[in-house]
Amino acid sequence: MSLLATLSYWLLLIEVWLILGLFFVILEVTLDGSMAIFLPLGIGSFMNGAALKIQHSTPIDSFTFLPETWEQTLICFAIFTVLASIALRFVVRHKKTDSTPDINDY
């Protein structure tokens, strides 16, 4: 089997993306825990697995935006990872609600 056929086979499997997502989330929890690198990759992998699951469980040509080739799968993974990173940035952003000054502000 050629390299492209092997790559096409493995990148279109839902289980591969779920295992990658779980691997990245475990790496995030065990290593740094900064939610900067591995957590968006894990969330992007889970979202990519969900998109592939939707594609496999619906009739042909019902959703045209879902990935059908390994190139489209990697592009969707990149887009999902960037969206997860932006969403995590908004979630983690802290607003100062206390009126007392912080001792670390100079």
Side-chain angles (χ1 to χ4, degrees):
M1 225 182 342
S2 71
L3 179 65
L4 289 179
T6 304
L7 188 65
S8 177
Y9 173 75
W10 285 105
L11 289 180
L12 292 175
L13 286 177
I14 300 164
E15 294 85 7
V16 170
W17 290 104
L18 296 179
I19 291 170
L20 274 175
L22 187 64
F23 175 72
F24 285 135
V25 169
I26 289 172
L27 272 178
E28 182 68 37
V29 169
T30 57
L31 291 180
D32 189 33
S34 65
M35 290 194 313
I37 296 175
F38 294 119
L39 190 58
L41 288 172
I43 294 171
S45 296
F46 286 135
M47 291 172 67
N48 206 12
L52 287 172
K53 178 66 176 170
I54 291 170
Q55 181 208 14
H56 288 296
S57 64
T58 56
I60 305 286
D61 293 336
S62 61
F63 293 109
T64 58
F65 63 89
L66 294 174
E68 295 177 355
T69 63
W70 66 271
E71 297 96 348
Q72 293 172 347
T73 304
L74 288 179
I75 290 170
C76 284
F77 171 64
I79 291 170
F80 288 147
T81 302
V82 168
L83 290 176
S85 179
I86 292 170
L88 282 174
R89 186 174 184 200
F90 283 121
V91 168
V92 176
R93 185 177 293 182
H94 298 289
K95 293 195 176 209
K96 189 174 180 181
T97 58
D98 195 11
S99 62
T100 59
D102 190 11
I103 194 167
N104 293 324
D105 289 337
Y106 297 108

